[in-house]
Amino acid sequence: MARLVVVSNRVPLPGQGQRAGGLAIVLQDVMDSVGLWFGWSGNTTPEGGNTVQTVTHRNTEYATIDLSEDEYQKFYIGYANSSLWPLLHFRQGLLEFRREDLEGYRAVNQLYSKSLQPLLQPDDLIWVHDYHLIPMGGQLRRLGVRNRVGFYLHIPFVPHSVFSALPQGDRLLQDMCEYDVVGFQTEEHRADFLDTVRQTLGHDITGDGVIHVPGRPVQTIVAPVGIDGLAFGRQAERAARSKNNKRLMDSLNHRHLMIGVDRLDYSKGLPNRFEAFNRLLTRFPEHSQHVSYLQVAVPSREEVTEYAQLRPILNRMAGDINGRHGTFDWVPLRYMSQGVSRSTLAGFHRVSRVGLVTPLRDGMNLVAHEYVAAQNPEDPGVLVLSRFAGAASYLQDALIVNPNDPDEIAEAMHTAFTMPLQERRLRHARLFESVLRLTARSYCNTFLNALSNKPGG
Ligand code: ADQ
């Protein structure tokens, strides 16, 4: 069997513990099939990426390079997270572009490619992940790599009219067309990509989503990420009996809990969600004293200005809500910006009557899957889900909302809190079926079948 080589911006080294973020979660269920995982160590050092460090753990070799502070700033903070991330989340107004960042981005990709190339074996299947590393496919080819190379975009793709705001965007599209397989979370993301390629580069595209780059087909596929729902459910059941859960339940004093779990990121729509809670308590005062909302939002990318600015906004809103609606024995909004382990969160999800997943845009959003998987089927909670999360394409029995309208979210909160048990069970049963269909394994199999050119892939 061919060896699988995974390439990602950041490599979660064994023993380092888990950070909030999607890729490590998705791949942890299929780690037994990963032969080599290559990427950045997460360290910045003065000499940057001159040496590759390797460590082997349970049949997987982890190979990492460091970056210099200058490389990190231009590549990661600059182009990847100040240009590509906002643009691909439809936030053209937040896009910051500097040519030196773009060149830094390409240079770091070249560093990755040159460091990886000597580690490759002829039959390896190479799977490159996410927007940080788009140029790698073409760079590896120019270094003489003949292996099959695939690329997967974890975040949305945007319509041509939005994409065209990106200076030198055509180069990036050409880079994406250097891969053998390009994968997306949803049909909509793929369709937007194909249309952008057609309009920008003029390539022929056939109905099966194959781009006919002269001399070479590029196959595009939809491979939604997922989780091991049964295992997460078992984890939630166990965690619900833990000390932490007992403390949480005691503190609730029989009130219903509503939960949100996100990275602190402007794409996750947190200010609108806070405002929605404010409106719930104002417009539906019957919930006053009877509900508590727990928001866990762990800081990320704080060196990017917009991320740093978000924190004080949420602090102020949380203070305002509690000041306005709270009483001497009831804190309506519990807002935490420290990390909480995934198993503890599983237990918290299980006892929450409402799960809030209301990003303004999201590639998929695994928290939606986790919330559903964690529920007790006999007495399940209700998922309120943004129509602009990739998850909404698959979890249609959630209460689907437009995250730009705090009133609509507030109404969905009210509906969720007052939903009869029978409807909650029915919706949950259907949602759970969808979660079980979209596993981490099915995601990997779909992508790898296409990458290894297997029929049906
Ligand atoms: P993210 O935006 O990082 O990743 P998301 O899917 O929302 O990912 O969550 C990833 C994981 O991190 C989940 O398992 C969640 O439980 C955990 N997590 C999130 N916030 C946390 C917190 N405050 N504390 C502890 N754990 C937390 C990208 C895309 C997503 C896509 C994933 C996977 O932006 O759209 O779903 O990749 O493809």
Side-chain angles (χ1 to χ4, degrees):
M1 215 178 81
R3 185 174 73 148
L4 175 59
V5 175
V6 167
V7 188
S8 64
N9 165 52
R10 181 88 183 251
V11 176
L13 288 169
Q16 271 189 349
Q18 216 154 55
R19 299 163 65 238
L23 180 61
I25 302 290
V26 172
L27 290 186
Q28 73 179 3
D29 289 340
V30 291
M31 273 316 291
D32 46 350
S33 36
V34 179
L36 171 65
W37 192 334
F38 178 85
W40 179 40
S41 61
N43 299 324
T44 50
T45 51
E47 58 279 9
N50 289 324
T51 46
V52 178
Q53 287 131 0
T54 58
V55 43
T56 302
H57 180 74
R58 291 197 185 141
N59 299 329
T60 302
E61 188 181 357
Y62 296 80
T64 54
I65 54 173
D66 296 340
L67 293 178
S68 70
E69 184 59 31
D70 184 59
E71 286 166 338
Y72 169 73
Q73 287 297 333
K74 289 176 176 154
F75 157 72
Y76 184 77
I77 299 296
Y79 190 71
N81 285 313
S82 302
S83 300
L84 287 184
W85 178 272
L87 181 85
L88 293 176
H89 286 86
F90 294 70
R91 299 296 289 274
Q92 196 179 323
L94 298 182
L95 185 158
E96 284 176 25
F97 177 82
R98 281 174 292 269
R99 283 197 184 178
E100 55 274 27
D101 289 347
L102 172 59
E103 293 318 316
Y105 172 80
R106 302 194 82 85
V108 167
N109 270 263
Q110 182 71 5
L111 185 68
Y112 274 55
S113 301
K114 278 192 166 160
S115 307
L116 174 62
Q117 188 252 344
L119 307 179
L120 293 173
Q121 298 164 9
D123 289 337
D124 285 348
L125 292 175
I126 306 168
W127 186 1
V128 179
H129 286 265
D130 233 0
Y131 60 102
H132 317 83
L133 301 177
I134 292 172
M136 272 193 82
Q139 291 171 340
L140 286 169
R141 300 234 185 273
R142 288 187 284 280
L143 290 168
V145 171
R146 295 282 162 264
N147 304 52
R148 299 267 298 170
V149 190
F151 174 78
Y152 186 80
L153 186 67
H154 286 262
I155 64 177
F157 201 85
V158 286
H160 172 251
S161 56
V162 178
F163 189 81
S164 57
L166 182 69
Q168 305 188 38
D170 49 343
R171 256 174 111 188
L172 208 68
L173 288 179
Q174 279 159 2
D175 289 331
M176 285 178 82
C177 292
E178 295 273 2
Y179 289 91
D180 295 298
V181 177
V182 180
F184 299 91
Q185 302 271 19
T186 70
E187 196 52 68
E188 186 184 358
H189 303 161
R190 170 164 83 156
D192 281 337
F193 171 69
L194 289 175
D195 183 54
T196 305
V197 166
R198 190 185 293 112
Q199 294 203 49
T200 312
L201 303 179
H203 294 317
D204 280 344
I205 293 162
T206 37
D208 51 358
V210 173
I211 307 171
H212 296 273
V213 179
R216 197 169 45 79
V218 180
Q219 188 184 354
T220 60
I221 59 167
V222 175
V225 299
I227 60 165
D228 181 342
L230 285 177
F232 195 80
R234 283 193 296 270
Q235 197 174 25
E237 212 178 331
R238 269 196 310 276
R241 294 191 293 267
S242 70
K243 262 198 200 132
N244 280 338
N245 256 62
K246 185 168 179 325
R247 280 175 57 194
L248 174 65
M249 295 307 285
D250 287 348
S251 73
L252 284 172
N253 205 5
H254 305 291
R255 295 185 177 99
H256 285 314
L257 184 64
M258 178 161 76
I259 191 166
V261 174
D262 306 77
R263 277 186 308 102
L264 220 169
D265 189 309
Y266 55 78
S267 67
K268 304 292 183 185
L270 292 169
N272 281 3
R273 204 185 292 172
F274 280 15
E275 177 55 22
F277 185 53
N278 178 34
R279 290 182 190 219
L280 174 84
L281 298 177
T282 309
R283 289 181 49 202
F284 304 95
E286 62 269 36
H287 297 296
S288 188
Q289 297 280 348
H290 298 297
V291 301
S292 284
Y293 167 23
L294 170 64
Q295 177 64 51
V296 184
V298 67
S300 72
R301 304 176 196 164
E302 290 202 283
E303 286 167 80
V304 179
T305 318
E306 280 72 26
Y307 287 72
Q309 285 172 348
L310 185 58
R311 213 208 258 246
I313 293 174
L314 292 173
N315 288 347
R316 186 181 44 74
M317 290 183 82
D320 285 351
I321 289 170
N322 285 333
R324 178 162 172 209
H325 300 282
T327 57
F328 66 89
D329 59 351
W330 174 54
V331 180
L333 170 55
R334 304 168 180 205
Y335 174 46
M336 292 175 57
S337 52
Q338 301 127 43
V340 177
S341 78
R342 197 165 178 246
S343 65
T344 302
L345 285 175
F348 290 179
H349 282 312
R350 190 172 177 93
V351 296
S352 297
R353 170 55 68 84
V354 182
L356 292 176
V357 177
T358 58
L360 304 177
R361 292 279 168 181
D362 220 327
M364 171 61 76
N365 197 305
L366 289 175
V367 178
H369 295 236
E370 290 167 349
Y371 179 76
V372 170
Q375 296 309 302
N376 172 3
E378 297 305 314
D379 185 18
V382 180
L383 175 64
V384 174
L385 178 61
S386 160
R387 57 187 284 196
F388 300 124
S393 300
Y394 305 100
L395 303 180
Q396 288 166 357
D397 286 282
L399 292 179
I400 305 286
V401 295
N402 184 331
N404 299 305
D405 181 358
D407 276 305
E408 191 177 322
I409 303 173
E411 286 154 11
M413 289 171 176
H414 172 69
T415 307
F417 278 124
T418 53
M419 189 179 284
L421 178 62
Q422 206 186 357
E423 185 180 350
R424 284 193 276 127
R425 281 188 186 155
L426 198 68
R427 282 178 184 267
H428 175 261
R430 293 197 194 120
L431 287 170
F432 194 43
E433 253 176 47
S434 310
V435 167
L436 292 183
R437 258 199 309 275
L438 299 182
T439 61
R441 219 162 261 285
S442 69
Y443 160 66
C444 292
N445 288 344
T446 306
F447 193 89
L448 293 174
N449 282 345
L451 188 58
S452 54
N453 239 342
K454 285 199 192 136

